[in-house]
Amino acid sequence: MLRYRLTRRGVLKLGFGSAVLALSGQAQPRETIRVGYVGPFSGVYAALGRNELEGARMAVDDVNVQGGVLGRRLELLAEDSATKTDVGVQKLRKLVERDRIQFSLGEVSSGVSLALSQTAAEYKMVHIVTGGHADDITGKSCRWNTFRIPTSATMEANAIGRLLAERFGKNWYIITPDYAYGWSLQESFTQVVERLGGRVLGADRVPLGTSDYSAVLLKAARAKPDVLLTFQAGDDSVAILKQIVQFGLDKQMAIAGGLQEWENIVALPKEARIGWWTFEWYWIQPNVPEVKAFVDRYRRRYRKVPTARSWFGYAAIWSLALAIRKANSLDAVKVAQALEGLELPRSVALQPGRVYYRKEDHQLMTGVFVGYVRQGQDPDDLFEVVRVVPGEEAAPPPGKTGCRIVYPS
Amino acid sequence: MELLLLQLLNGLVSGAFYALLALGLALILSLTRIINLAHGGFLVVGAYLGYVLSGLWGFYWALLLAPLGLALLAVALEATLLRPLYRRDPLESLLLTFGLALVLEEVIRLVFGPVGVPFRIPEALGSPLFPGTPFFFLTRYRVLVIALALLAGLLVFLLLRYTRLGLYLRAGAQDREILSALGTDVGRLSTLAFALGAYLAGLAGVLAAGQLGLSPAMGTSLLMPSFVALILGGVGSLGGSYLGGLLVGMASGLAGQFAAAASEFAVYVILALVLLVRPRGLFGKEGFFE
């Protein structure tokens, strides 16, 4: 004979079961609005992808606490792209076809970002790029459905270029990784310095995975530039920065580069934490009170500081919510048109100045945080922001991006 | 012109690593007739051993003890895995060391992760000896690298030239069978050559970690030029392989002045040129390993 024994676990199960029943029985007033995020949760960019997702999650909760949009709650579904184009596209298709998402966000890598933008356009779905930096995303390959939050490579070069030229001088030397992204950075920085009346004394393209930079550093030191630019990433950047410090070159010339991430700097050994870079957002902004409130909430929730990546995710969800409210519709074309020119309120922009989506190329006119790496009092404070260059000043004029937005008829 | 001389001198520093590796390879090859493809794996294990030890007791102890630890490991590997293969087809030992190389590197990857780890050198070493001059690239650390490589080379030379043990080692390198017939334990000499070769690889590993950074793939990238150095110097000549290492380093340093990508390429160009003139390498002996 089987007898039911009353155990503590049994009681808990019973209670849990009835709670679920009670909740699901309470019919939702209306269906949720589903948003899909595709980004890297594994591979080299995993840390960046996770931070984007965490920022987005926080924004979803914020929106829902305020009653959602159009009386409906937001729901966020996330998929891992592993930084692979084919995987990312496949995951986006799955999100649309099986999970019925109506808006999509995503991707750290530029290559995957471009592919996602195209796939979303096939489904006539508004897509917000939360991480890719290639110029093309809001340039030659721009699309009616795609909006980008991060800065483009050219915006970074423009923003830091003027400051470097004014502060240190107009003779630059470039050491860049020998592949497409490195070449395009070399090109945009060369254009910037030449426009400012300076010149590039020399440029070396070094194969990826090089560990000994002494030969090129010897050449660079010989050229006596005012600024030495390096675009190496990952282990390569650790190697070159370490050797620059050992050779004492950082005392003879300014060391600088383009985009830098908080996540990368924190992984560097202490002695290699040097240089002038651009960040896309920073968590310490004494003049913007809204930032402190956001950082405090983020720290309480995730036990770490928000990075530019967290902000990308946060701003992406809020942009969608605000645009849907403005359009008073979920129709993709109407939401896209509402996003054009949409200005983010200070509590979402979380930075000084006017931050809005430019109508002509769908690029967010977000500020570029130019500064240098140093250790602050807080162990998480690694960067001194010298100037926030307004997006309008950094971005190329709308006529020069090569972008033409065409809506489906 | 002056810059070329500086590049030459700079190349000498990377040449020091190749020289240490090539000398170890040559020692093992002469005594055991084994082409040790696991030498790069040895270097990586030595470097990570140094990383662990330097975390415990500091850099200098690591520099002293890690190569010794690696030598012990090499002796164990030689006794258990390689000794049974001495009298068999050379292809079998080649396959074994190739497999061993993969295993060693993969073990390191499993334990320490695929991404490099920061290896700290004493702060006093990480600064230029002549700051602000054209010789700024000679940091104290790099001078230490060259000095230790020269010292190690010199000690090996003295050992071979002036000690009874060295006499046996040289004899073994020349003709194992006769030496064995004369009543010398050649097996023990082989073990010793392995230990010595591994010691040099471990030394190169710890030194390279401080200069180039520590990652599981570092062995592979240093090993290829070292094999080139071995052939360049002449198979069978210990001094030749050591010199070959320095030459390869200088050639790649010089080429780096013109294009960064050319420094890898230059290694093979100089090999081809030398082999055209001297098919057995600079100091190669006729009939050895042919």
Side-chain angles (χ1 to χ4, degrees):
Chain A
M1 197 179 83
L2 213 78
R3 252 190 337 168
Y4 183 70
R5 284 186 58 194
L6 198 65
T7 59
R8 190 183 304 181
R9 192 168 291 179
V11 170
L12 275 174
K13 273 184 195 160
L14 225 87
F16 186 68
S18 44
V20 168
L21 268 175
L23 275 176
S24 53
Q26 204 179 47
Q28 296 253 324
R30 291 172 77 179
E31 217 186 315
T32 57
I33 300 172
R34 294 189 158 189
V35 180
Y37 172 84
V38 178
F41 307 131
S42 54
V44 276
Y45 290 143
L48 306 180
R50 283 205 196 99
N51 284 343
E52 287 182 8
L53 181 64
E54 285 170 359
R57 284 247 153 86
M58 197 160 122
V60 166
D61 290 351
D62 286 2
V63 172
N64 287 340
V65 162
Q66 292 182 10
V69 270
L70 307 184
R72 292 164 66 173
R73 290 166 59 83
L74 284 185
E75 189 183 347
L76 184 64
L77 295 100
E79 289 285 346
D80 182 9
S81 71
T83 331
K84 293 195 178 88
T85 309
D86 52 338
V87 178
V89 168
Q90 194 194 331
K91 292 285 178 69
L92 184 61
R93 288 192 190 284
K94 183 222 144 206
L95 281 171
V96 176
E97 282 162 19
R98 239 195 20 233
D99 300 325
R100 302 274 153 219
I101 58 163
Q102 286 162 291
F103 300 95
S104 60
L105 318 172
E107 194 51 46
V108 171
S109 136
S110 289
V112 188
S113 293
L114 282 163
L116 292 183
S117 150
Q118 186 187 339
T119 311
E122 281 170 32
Y123 289 111
K124 290 203 165 54
M125 180 169 68
V126 170
H127 176 76
I128 296 191
V129 174
T130 52
H133 296 92
D135 282 356
D136 281 357
I137 296 171
T138 50
K140 280 199 276 300
S141 310
C142 70
R143 290 193 175 79
W144 69 270
N145 69 318
T146 302
F147 293 80
R148 167 163 60 185
I149 294 181
T151 52
S152 66
T154 299
M155 285 171 77
E156 290 152 26
N158 285 340
I160 196 172
R162 189 162 305 147
L163 186 136
L164 291 175
E166 280 165 10
R167 202 176 266 246
F168 301 108
K170 292 177 184 169
N171 292 318
W172 295 2
Y173 198 98
I174 294 175
I175 299 176
T176 194
D178 196 2
Y179 74 113
Y181 177 62
W183 304 337
S184 74
L185 278 170
Q186 180 187 344
E187 197 183 327
S188 26
F189 273 85
T190 306
Q191 277 171 7
V192 167
V193 75
E194 281 171 359
R195 207 170 50 233
L196 294 169
R199 65 196 192 97
V200 174
L201 302 178
D204 285 303
R205 295 177 172 181
V206 187
L208 280 179
T210 296
S211 53
D212 188 354
Y213 287 89
S214 54
V216 285
L217 289 177
L218 202 54
K219 273 174 81 179
R222 240 334 159 74
K224 294 204 190 313
D226 304 315
V227 181
L228 173 61
L229 293 154
T230 77
F231 304 131
Q232 271 68 22
D235 279 353
D236 290 4
S237 98
V238 176
I240 191 169
L241 289 175
K242 218 170 135 176
Q243 284 162 37
I244 285 172
V245 174
Q246 286 185 359
F247 292 159
L249 292 184
D250 54 324
K251 295 184 185 72
Q252 293 166 38
M253 56 194 76
I255 309 300
L259 170 69
Q260 190 57 274
E261 314 253 6
W262 187 90
E263 289 90 338
N264 287 355
I265 296 288
V266 107
L268 282 175
K270 291 229 160 38
E271 67 269 20
R273 292 182 186 172
I274 55 158
W276 286 75
W277 316 95
T278 68
F279 271 42
E280 293 175 277
W281 185 83
Y282 196 59
W283 67 277
I284 297 180
Q285 296 183 49
N287 300 327
V288 188
E290 288 87 349
V291 172
K292 191 175 179 311
F294 171 73
V295 171
D296 288 346
R297 281 200 303 133
Y298 193 94
R299 271 188 145 169
R300 263 202 305 282
R301 179 167 176 154
Y302 296 115
R303 309 255 155 242
K304 58 186 187 186
V305 293
T307 67
R309 297 284 164 183
S310 327
W311 176 71
F312 293 161
Y314 188 78
I317 289 288
W318 265 113
S319 301
L320 278 178
L322 293 168
I324 295 170
R325 275 181 202 162
K326 186 173 152 196
N328 199 21
S329 161
L330 291 174
D331 178 69
V333 172
K334 285 186 184 147
V335 172
Q337 277 162 350
L339 273 165
E340 288 185 345
L342 179 82
E343 184 173 341
L344 299 182
R346 189 58 53 89
S347 60
V348 175
L350 295 171
Q351 55 181 293
R354 211 163 81 82
V355 178
Y356 63 97
Y357 289 95
R358 194 155 72 174
K359 189 173 187 304
E360 292 85 353
D361 59 354
H362 293 184
Q363 170 69 48
L364 185 70
M365 292 293 109
T366 176
V368 188
F369 293 63
V370 180
Y372 57 92
V373 167
R374 58 106 185 83
Q375 183 60 58
Q377 280 183 346
D378 189 308
D380 289 328
D381 179 15
L382 307 170
F383 191 65
E384 179 78 33
V385 179
V386 171
R387 189 172 167 227
V388 182
V389 178
E392 275 176 343
E393 191 184 316
K400 289 225 173 131
T401 56
C403 161
R404 243 192 72 221
I405 303 279
V406 183
Y407 276 89
S409 45
Chain B
M1 191 58 218
E2 192 194 336
L3 191 52
L4 287 184
L5 283 175
L6 291 176
Q7 291 285 16
L8 213 58
L9 193 56
N10 181 39
L12 203 58
V13 183
S14 30
F17 299 128
Y18 304 146
L20 287 176
L21 281 179
L23 183 58
L25 283 171
L27 268 169
I28 293 171
L29 180 63
S30 335
L31 264 292
T32 65
R33 298 291 187 272
I34 284 175
I35 298 170
N36 184 23
L37 290 177
H39 218 60
F42 281 5
L43 176 134
V44 176
V45 172
Y48 275 85
L49 196 59
Y51 168 69
V52 173
L53 290 175
S54 78
L56 292 175
W57 300 314
F59 174 77
Y60 294 104
W61 281 107
L63 191 59
L64 199 68
L65 295 179
L68 284 176
L70 182 67
L72 284 180
L73 176 75
V75 166
L77 287 174
E78 193 264 354
T80 51
L81 296 175
L82 282 160
R83 199 170 291 173
L85 300 181
Y86 282 158
R87 290 177 191 288
R88 319 256 301 247
D89 191 335
L91 196 61
E92 292 183 24
S93 60
L94 200 66
L95 278 175
L96 182 88
T97 57
F98 180 66
L100 198 57
L102 296 180
V103 169
L104 290 177
E105 197 179 313
E106 222 40 51
V107 166
I108 292 292
R109 231 182 270 272
L110 275 177
V111 178
F112 295 95
V115 191
V117 290
F119 183 88
R120 304 198 72 120
I121 57 171
E123 219 148 279
L125 292 178
S127 58
L129 261 181
F130 315 102
T133 69
F135 295 95
F136 68 88
F137 61 92
L138 287 174
T139 60
R140 290 182 170 81
Y141 189 76
R142 301 182 133 223
V143 173
L144 178 79
V145 169
I146 301 184
L148 283 182
L150 289 177
L151 185 69
L154 186 71
L155 285 179
V156 171
F157 171 76
L158 291 177
L159 171 82
L160 291 174
R161 190 76 185 76
Y162 293 107
T163 65
R164 200 165 179 78
L165 184 66
L167 193 67
Y168 281 120
L169 281 170
R170 277 187 295 148
Q174 233 161 42
D175 201 323
R176 285 166 56 95
E177 278 74 31
I178 297 287
L179 189 65
S180 172
L182 287 173
T184 307
D185 186 349
V186 179
R188 212 188 266 166
L189 281 182
S190 304
T191 311
L192 190 73
F194 237 90
L196 205 55
Y199 181 89
L200 294 174
L203 188 64
V206 180
L207 288 174
Q211 187 180 316
L212 307 175
L214 194 55
S215 70
M218 65 189 288
T220 330
S221 59
L222 286 172
L223 187 63
M224 264 330 280
S226 308
F227 269 116
V228 171
L230 182 71
I231 299 163
L232 185 73
V235 175
S237 161
L238 298 175
S241 58
Y242 185 81
L243 272 183
L246 296 183
L247 266 177
V248 164
M250 286 193 286
S252 70
L254 207 54
Q257 168 64 23
F258 302 105
S263 52
E264 284 170 44
F265 175 64
V267 170
Y268 301 97
V269 172
I270 187 169
L271 176 68
L273 287 179
V274 168
L275 290 188
L276 268 179
V277 185
R278 295 184 68 93
R280 287 195 179 83
L282 291 175
F283 302 97
K285 292 189 206 87
E286 199 177 331
F288 187 86
F289 213 71
E290 282 176 4

